[in-house]
Amino acid sequence: FLSSPAGQFCCGLFALLILSNFWFLGVLYLLWMYLDWGTPCAGGRRSQWVRNWTIWNYFREYFPIQLIKTSDLNPKHNYLLGFHPHGVLVAGAFGNFCTGPSFKNLFPGLTPYLHIMPIWFGCPFFREYIMSAGMVSASKESVSYVLNNVGGGHASIIVIGGAEESLNAHPGSLTLNILKRKGFIKMALKHGAHLVPVFSFGENELYKQVANPRGSRLRTVQERLQKIMGFALPLFHARGVFQYSFGLIPFRQPIHTVVGSPIVVKRNPNPTKEEIEQLHALYLQELRKLFEEHKGKYGIPEHKTLIFE
């Protein structure tokens, strides 16, 4: 996010205020941030005006990005959607759940909340921008707030593989960091939120990443930095404005984000380890089933399948 023009502009604007004759505005904004600090964990502050900006139409059409529905989601329930894979840009998650009317038209009565790393809400001004698009913190407190909605109608979208998975975002890669990630399963059980696997075909094709196999010096450094800073630093490139050989503009590759069928989850405030393991295994089974049923439509060879790590 901070590598995006919007993130750089927001941070630059704040620095300009602090260093200029208008420093008092920067101080006032810091006071506002202090008073508003808990909002990203309390449903955020979305703006339909921002979510419907015309620029998002061009963003979705550039790839293009498309949301595919395979089953109805009853708005009387709350849902936890597991998004896979992370990719470098997470374009499918942003384009489908933070912009435009696609989700609302396909799943009427549901309000999507895309959970992202809490660190991004510490960036002045940028936090207002991402909250207005419908993004909220990925903290337990935030997920609980969304899934606790009485009467249903809320959908938490969590990129399960997290920043670590972005280091696997090579074209053709089907490796998902999920075997040790069970916190989302526990949250679904505690709140009785139905689980929905989501696979975004084409997400890993947007950039070419420098080779970083596990055990390599580069991968070791990246993993250490990820543990220290909380986010990964993949080394990637794509195309430029007037040439296709090098740049940071993502390649024009279609992204098809397929939303699977819900796994019914009964509320269990104190799930046992065995219950979490059982539901996690079922989720992996349904995720693989979703991938296998649709891979042929989106250019995945028949012999290729998901790799869970």
Side-chain angles (χ1 to χ4, degrees):
F1 286 109
L2 292 180
S3 63
S4 70
Q8 294 170 357
F9 173 79
C10 290
C11 291
L13 177 60
F14 181 73
L16 184 62
L17 283 177
I18 291 295
L19 298 174
S20 69
N21 292 330
F22 298 98
W23 59 267
F24 62 92
L25 293 178
V27 173
L28 286 175
Y29 182 77
L30 285 178
L31 176 60
W32 161 253
M33 280 185 64
Y34 174 77
L35 297 174
D36 192 57
W37 193 254
T39 301
C41 295
R45 187 168 45 246
R46 72 180 54 221
S47 165
Q48 286 304 126
W49 175 67
V50 173
R51 290 169 61 87
N52 292 327
W53 278 351
T54 302
I55 191 173
W56 302 136
N57 295 333
Y58 295 110
F59 173 77
R60 293 191 304 273
E61 292 170 2
Y62 171 79
F63 297 98
I65 296 174
Q66 183 180 3
L67 187 65
I68 293 94
K69 170 183 175 180
T70 63
S71 177
D72 290 331
L73 298 181
N74 190 334
K76 293 182 179 180
H77 301 293
N78 293 316
Y79 297 88
L80 195 160
L81 280 63
F83 183 92
H84 312 270
H86 183 287
V88 170
L89 193 61
V90 205
F94 177 76
N96 286 308
F97 304 119
C98 295
T99 75
S102 295
F103 186 87
K104 181 180 179 181
N105 292 341
L106 291 176
F107 304 103
L110 283 183
T111 301
Y113 295 83
L114 178 60
H115 296 270
I116 64 174
M117 293 177 61
I119 188 175
W120 303 123
F121 297 98
C123 179
F125 298 116
F126 189 58
R127 68 190 298 274
E128 319 301 335
Y129 161 67
I130 57 180
M131 275 198 288
S132 64
M135 292 181 236
V136 292
S137 172
S139 67
K140 292 181 181 179
E141 178 188 356
S142 177
V143 176
S144 292
Y145 183 93
V146 173
L147 298 181
N148 265 336
N149 191 49
V150 178
H154 280 188
S156 281
I157 297 96
I158 300 178
V159 184
I160 305 299
E164 183 182 358
E165 193 173 85
S166 67
L167 299 179
N168 290 328
H170 297 272
S173 173
L174 296 172
T175 301
L176 304 181
N177 292 67
I178 192 172
L179 292 181
K180 296 180 180 179
R181 297 180 180 265
K182 300 172 185 176
F184 74 104
I185 298 292
K186 187 175 182 179
M187 294 298 290
L189 283 165
K190 288 182 67 174
H191 300 287
H194 296 347
L195 280 168
V196 183
V198 178
F199 196 87
S200 196
F201 292 90
E203 198 75 42
N204 283 340
E205 320 306 316
L206 306 185
Y207 289 96
K208 292 180 179 178
Q209 190 172 168
V210 176
N212 60 342
R214 290 192 181 278
S216 65
R217 182 175 299 178
L218 173 59
R219 184 62 168 256
T220 300
V221 172
Q222 288 175 320
E223 290 175 344
R224 287 178 180 173
L225 289 175
Q226 192 264 328
K227 290 179 180 179
I228 294 172
M229 299 184 298
F231 56 90
L233 292 173
L235 299 179
F236 58 88
H237 71 89
R239 54 162 291 186
V241 178
F242 302 110
Q243 44 79 26
Y244 294 87
S245 57
F246 189 82
L248 294 179
I249 298 175
F251 293 116
R252 295 192 70 177
Q253 295 289 340
I255 299 173
H256 297 91
T257 304
V258 184
V259 181
S261 301
I263 301 169
V264 177
V265 178
K266 292 184 179 181
R267 188 173 181 272
N268 183 354
N270 298 295
T272 64
K273 182 178 179 180
E274 290 72 23
E275 290 169 329
I276 293 173
E277 293 285 353
Q278 183 179 7
L279 183 55
H280 186 260
L282 177 58
Y283 179 85
L284 294 183
Q285 178 183 322
E286 290 300 313
L287 174 59
R288 189 180 295 279
K289 178 182 176 183
L290 177 70
F291 174 80
E292 293 295 333
E293 287 180 350
H294 293 87
K295 68 180 184 181
K297 303 175 187 176
Y298 307 117
I300 307 295
E302 183 63 29
H303 69 278
K304 285 202 167 188
T305 190
L306 294 178
I307 299 173
F308 296 144
E309 288 187 346

